Amino acid sequence: MKKRGIEDLDLVMVDPWCAGYHTNADAPSRRLAKPLIFCRTESDCPMENGYARPVEGIHVLVDMQNMVVIEFDDRKLVPLPPADPLRNYTAGETRGGVDRSDVKPLQIIQTEGPSFRINGNFIAWQKWNFRIGFTPREGLVIYSVAYIDGSRGRRPVAHRLSFVEMVVPYGDPNDPHYRKNTFDAGEDGLGKNAHSLKKGCDCLGYIKYFDAHFTNFTGGVETIENCVCLHEEDHGILWKHQDWRTGLAEVRRSRRLTVSFICTVANYEYGFFWHFYQDGKIEAEVKLTGILSLGALQPGETRKYGTTIAPGLYAPVHQHFFVARMDMAVDCKPGEAFNQVVEVNLKVEEPGKNNVHNNAFYAEEELLRSELQAMRDCNPLTARHWIVRNTRNINRTGQLTGFKLVPGSNCLPLAGSEAKFLRRAAFLKHNLWVTPYAHDEMYPGGEFPNQNPRVGEGLATWVKQNRSLEEADVVLWYVFGVIHIPRLEDWPVMPVDRIGFMLMIYTHPNNIHSLHHLIASS
């Protein structure tokens, strides 16, 4: 530390990153960490951004079970980046600027209270109802999702919805960044890293908070107060039409019910949201923000695998991948397993007598009959989406009822096929996987991904059974990600980035019910 100009060791921060699995030396005979080291500038500023000064070139290996330093190697002397006056994120002039003063207060008031009803962990809102739970690994879990449809009563949609894994691979081949491919759910725990929310900032409006309770590693009970937020949001216009002949217009406002939690994993914050809409949609959304994970540079050095954002400081390129596990139950009563999955692609009609004007295109459906056939990727060129249909239930036009999964923006891993982290994260190789429900198939990287060489475990192995999906209790595993090429504007804080997907009623005319019926009461 003294070689790098650090005299006060109280300023040094150590983040214990999991070792992953790269060689047999990482075998899971003991729990290993390869920490990253940073150094703050000021001892009297508890909110200082310590990630602004990475201590580069030091290799450390720690046995986390016995709390023993196994290896310590000063491999390369890289100067500590100078203190950047713009490094901090606290309010006021400590950032090198001043706060905005031209924004008036925005009040969200529900004088008659909220429209949702709560009984324990049971939530009812508009025509939706469901239960919420919480685990240290996944965080928020949504159970028993159903829609109340007039005379048809309670119509199930899903048994269980949650985010079961998250992987963040970095694209810099240099040490230590090539080892950054954390499984933030399986290795660290999204729920374990959740934190208490603050009314008026994390959430606005009439808020109902839920505490999270789970066992910690010593067997005791840990409680995070105000961990899950439930509230209603105005979401702009749901539907509008003006009759140009009469000048008469009709418009409906859109309101949604949002259930969410936020976790901090080292330098990054992740907000996980489930939005329920009045037109029968369910939206899953992840918001990414926080602080970039950085590297130090030699004087005059640049790095092609990242962005120089301050003197001696760069941010590596990386990706964030999330896995949503959706155990579906579309129109299935308890004990029934009558769902199947269909892929839909738009096709351009061949020129000829059916397309004399060369303008024709149509939607083509393909039943995904087995697990290996259901390893699928997004394709925006064909507006590809997937429908979970009930094989026994039809609407009044004679079509099978269903919910469709509509992808948002997405990507696949940019690493080479032989990248070490893909051995543990083979589930990232496709955007969609479908399996029949099995009680011991909960996590795509297997039950214990820490330092796991991944032999015979995880989603990519389970699907080799090639089980039938033609009529089953189907589980959708949707993998979605974002590529982060850091910008200068991402320093010192990274503004929120949003990714997600939609579950929507599959609406041929009057499929489950007409959209007019859905929105008329809004």
Side-chain angles (χ1 to χ4, degrees), residues 83-137:
D84 183 354
L86 299 179
R87 70 190 178 280
N88 286 342
Y89 49 84
T90 47
E93 295 182 358
T94 57
R95 292 180 310 196
V98 295
D99 291 338
R100 295 183 183 183
S101 59
D102 56 351
V103 178
K104 305 298 184 185
L106 176 63
Q107 300 293 334
I108 299 175
I109 300 173
Q110 293 177 276
T111 56
E112 298 182 20
S115 303
F116 53 77
R117 303 183 305 280
I118 300 172
N119 183 5
N121 280 13
F122 178 80
I123 314 297
W125 177 79
Q126 295 276 285
K127 299 178 184 298
W128 289 107
N129 61 60
F130 54 88
R131 297 181 181 275
I132 65 170
F134 200 89
T135 74
R137 185 165 180 165

Side-chain angles (χ1 to χ4, degrees), residues 62-207:
V62 180
D63 181 336
M64 295 296 290
Q65 287 173 287
N66 299 306
M67 296 305 291
V68 174
V69 176
I70 302 171
E71 298 176 11
F72 189 98
D73 186 11
D74 191 348
R75 294 179 173 177
K76 182 181 180 181
L77 180 60
V78 181
L80 196 65
D84 183 354
L86 299 179
R87 70 190 178 280
N88 286 342
Y89 49 84
T90 47
E93 295 182 358
T94 57
R95 292 180 310 196
V98 295
D99 291 338
R100 295 183 183 183
S101 59
D102 56 351
V103 178
K104 305 298 184 185
L106 176 63
Q107 300 293 334
I108 299 175
I109 300 173
Q110 293 177 276
T111 56
E112 298 182 20
S115 303
F116 53 77
R117 303 183 305 280
I118 300 172
N119 183 5
N121 280 13
F122 178 80
I123 314 297
W125 177 79
Q126 295 276 285
K127 299 178 184 298
W128 289 107
N129 61 60
F130 54 88
R131 297 181 181 275
I132 65 170
F134 200 89
T135 74
R137 185 165 180 165
E138 303 156 277
L140 176 64
V141 181
I142 309 290
Y143 296 94
S144 303
V145 181
Y147 195 90
I148 308 302
D149 182 24
S151 62
R152 299 192 66 168
R154 186 178 187 274
R155 304 186 70 176
V157 175
H159 292 301
R160 192 179 191 276
L161 307 173
S162 69
F163 294 95
V164 288
E165 194 51 272
M166 176 185 162
V167 184
V168 187
Y170 278 68
D172 187 339
N174 294 282
D175 191 29
H177 307 289
Y178 75 93
R179 281 188 171 270
K180 292 181 179 178
N181 44 71
T182 308
F183 286 52
D184 283 343
E187 292 180 333
D188 278 318
L190 299 176
K192 181 176 69 67
N193 286 293
H195 51 74
S196 298
L197 301 173
K198 183 179 179 182
K199 189 172 183 178
C201 194
D202 292 310
C203 307
L204 294 177
Y206 192 106
I207 308 299

